[in-house]
Amino acid sequence: MKIKEIKVIVCSPGRNFVTVKVITDEGVYGIGDGTVNGRELAVVSYLKDHIAPTLIGKDPLRTEDIWQYLYKGAYWRRGPITMAAIAAIDMALWDIKAKVANMPLYQLLGGRSRDKVMIYKHVGGLDISEVTEGVIAMREQGLDAIRAQVSIPGLPPIYGTGPSTDQAAGGMIKPMVTEEVWATHKYMPLVPKLFEKLRDAVGWDVHLLHDVHHRLTPIEAARLGKDLEPYRLFWLEDAVPAELQEGFRIIRQHTTQPLAVGEIFNSVYDTTTLIQEQLIDYIRVTAVHAGGVTGIKKIFDFASIYHVKSACHGPMDMSPATMGANIHVDTAINNFGIQEFTGYTKETYDVFKCDWRYDRGYLYPNETPGHGTDIDEDLAAKYPYAAAYLPVARLEDGSMTSW
Ligand code: GCO
Ligand code: MG
């Protein structure tokens, strides 16, 4: 079997997605996702100009060798654009391999380790009572794990908290960069009040999560972790900007609050200190941003040695193909923790045909061959690329800060 053609499909059914279709000389094809939110066309060029021509004629079943060929062979290793391009090809090759084996992908990754994949969704709101109502409503929809974010009084709504930044409504990305305002001292006292109210409202059977989105310093994060301990969060996510892995040592010294990080990581080398020193509890890499099925499997297997669990990043800015790949890895590995799943818009589900399914707080892999996601190319063509950017953030004095 040989790779005959590699198509790179860019479409925007509500938001931009970069999709790869690897077609073999025997007619079997595979689908992969290479979407990097706000930087999509960089991956398109990487795939079209620098990868596709080098893979024609290669054996698509050599998934490990092709991964290493693209990783080691580029010389310029790692980075989000390179790793997303490798991921797109890798996901498509695993899709092909599973179709050739006539099995759902999880069978090739070790077989089933669990019956269902627990997910969490997001609730945001302009004040604590609005968030509480949202969490109660989600609980009624069957969710066993819910992430809660609240707007900060005196500041305009920021990421994840209000209608202007509501991902589910697709409002977070804009045709041009918008600027948000951040003030740590206004945020810190508010979050424990939110979770006190939530525990009163929904009790202790439900997992509650919170995303700091890389906004604190280590000692601030340590303080927040301590203040949240009475409410026993499932995790505190991205408490600090994670380039400096050593920052987590300070947080860990001060709090027993479980910690999660990893959505912007793209290789196992971003995680070595964090995992080997057991500074985190959940590693949140995802198939598209960390080198595909091959990439995240390497990271999760490494994490399993150190009691760190998986938690694939999964908002709607990665395509259903990534979600399909994630669900199969989630199903197969032993050290699964949780899967983020915000769901997709109707337009996205129309373009991407999914055999995997969601039901009341849990995801179930397809039993059909492959990772269970396909693309309707004709329909995709009706949703052309539309320039879109994530916001940036400034402190109240106007200086740039982490978004
Ligand atoms: C999450 C993330 C996302 C990111 C987004 C950026 O936890 O789901 O923080 O919402 O902000 O993926 O493109
Ligand atoms: Mg996050």
Side-chain angles (χ1 to χ4, degrees):
M1 181 177 269
K2 287 188 166 53
I3 296 174
K4 195 176 89 181
E5 188 187 352
I6 298 179
K7 286 188 186 175
V8 183
I9 304 154
V10 187
C11 63
S12 191
R15 61 190 313 140
N16 292 315
F17 295 112
V18 175
T19 308
V20 146
K21 183 169 183 175
V22 177
I23 304 166
T24 67
D25 57 349
E26 295 181 20
V28 185
Y29 65 86
I31 299 295
D33 177 27
T35 309
V36 176
N37 199 2
R39 296 291 183 271
E40 296 86 356
L41 299 185
V43 189
V44 172
S45 169
Y46 198 110
L47 283 162
K48 274 193 184 161
D49 301 326
H50 306 297
I51 285 189
T54 71
L55 295 182
I56 304 303
K58 289 208 159 34
D59 177 355
L61 301 182
R62 294 179 61 171
T63 40
E64 178 67 22
D65 185 64
I66 290 180
W67 194 93
Q68 299 290 350
Y69 176 81
L70 296 174
Y71 181 81
K72 293 182 172 156
Y75 187 63
W76 314 107
R77 296 181 188 190
R78 307 158 65 189
I81 305 304
T82 298
M83 296 309 286
I86 295 177
I89 299 292
D90 183 78
M91 259 181 250
L93 297 188
W94 276 102
D95 197 22
I96 292 172
K97 197 196 289 283
K99 287 175 180 171
V100 170
N102 200 25
M103 286 180 179
L105 174 58
Y106 70 79
Q107 292 291 11
L108 278 58
L109 303 174
R112 197 180 264 285
S113 281
R114 60 188 43 74
D115 300 328
K116 54 185 184 175
V117 169
M118 181 169 72
I119 67 108
Y120 69 92
K121 285 187 186 249
H122 306 172
V123 173
L126 295 177
D127 57 33
I128 289 178
S129 64
E130 194 183 324
V131 182
T132 308
E133 277 168 33
V135 168
I136 292 169
M138 260 220 182
R139 195 70 181 119
E140 282 160 8
Q141 291 164 30
L143 271 284
D144 284 332
I146 301 164
R147 193 194 82 170
Q149 311 291 129
V150 67
S151 274
I152 304 167
L155 295 182
I158 52 153
Y159 161 76
T161 60
S164 72
T165 52
D166 181 7
Q167 274 204 61
M172 190 178 71
I173 44 167
K174 295 276 188 314
M176 192 27 75
V177 182
T178 55
E179 301 200 352
E180 297 184 344
V181 185
W182 178 254
T184 294
H185 68 291
K186 295 182 181 172
Y187 163 80
M188 292 274 283
L190 185 67
V191 186
K193 287 187 196 137
L194 168 67
F195 284 92
E196 182 183 15
K197 182 74 196 303
L198 291 179
R199 281 297 180 207
D200 281 349
V202 292
W204 297 87
D205 280 355
V206 58
H207 299 301
L208 296 177
L209 297 74
H210 182 69
D211 186 358
V212 182
H213 220 252
H214 313 110
R215 297 176 191 271
L216 300 180
T217 65
I219 201 66
E220 289 164 351
R223 168 86 266 157
L224 184 63
K226 269 170 109 95
D227 290 349
L228 286 170
E229 275 174 26
Y231 313 112
R232 304 205 176 184
L233 267 54
F234 186 86
W235 77 35
L236 190 63
E237 175 183 331
D238 291 348
V240 290
E243 296 98 317
L244 185 69
Q245 296 185 37
E246 291 84 341
F248 277 81
R249 287 188 190 133
I250 296 171
I251 311 175
R252 206 52 153 180
Q253 277 163 22
H254 294 286
T255 179
T256 55
Q257 173 58 64
L259 302 171
V261 73
E263 64 183 52
I264 63 163
F265 291 170
N266 42 68
S267 104
V268 72
Y269 299 105
D270 296 321
T271 71
T272 43
T273 301
L274 290 171
I275 291 177
Q276 274 175 307
E277 293 187 25
Q278 301 180 67
L279 300 178
I280 55 168
D281 303 279
Y282 297 91
I283 179 70
R284 297 188 57 259
V285 290
T286 194
V288 58
H289 298 144
V293 172
T294 302
I296 61 171
K297 188 70 170 43
K298 288 183 196 303
I299 296 170
F300 293 155
D301 287 346
F302 173 62
S304 75
I305 298 168
Y306 297 95
H307 311 285
V308 174
K309 291 185 179 175
S310 77
C312 290
H313 186 211
M316 54 172 59
D317 52 78
M318 52 207 64
S319 94
T322 286
M323 195 54 64
N326 286 347
I327 295 166
H328 284 265
V329 175
D330 296 339
T331 300
I333 60 173
N334 174 258
N335 59 324
F336 168 76
I338 199 166
Q339 169 69 56
E340 183 182 23
F341 181 70
T342 55
Y344 294 98
T345 62
K346 184 184 174 303
E347 291 81 2
T348 302
Y349 278 127
D350 288 345
V351 169
F352 292 92
K353 307 285 167 209
C354 303
D355 279 351
W356 49 263
R357 76 190 165 83
Y358 170 76
D359 184 39
R360 292 187 65 80
Y362 291 83
L363 283 163
Y364 299 84
N366 49 289
E367 293 301 329
T368 51
H371 59 47
T373 309
D374 205 343
I375 186 167
D376 179 336
E377 289 180 71
D378 294 336
L379 194 57
K382 299 203 169 109
Y383 297 98
Y385 169 78
Y389 293 87
L390 286 165
V392 298
R394 292 186 187 276
L395 300 179
E396 289 173 293
D397 71 357
S399 54
M400 285 296 300
T401 189
S402 303
W403 177 73

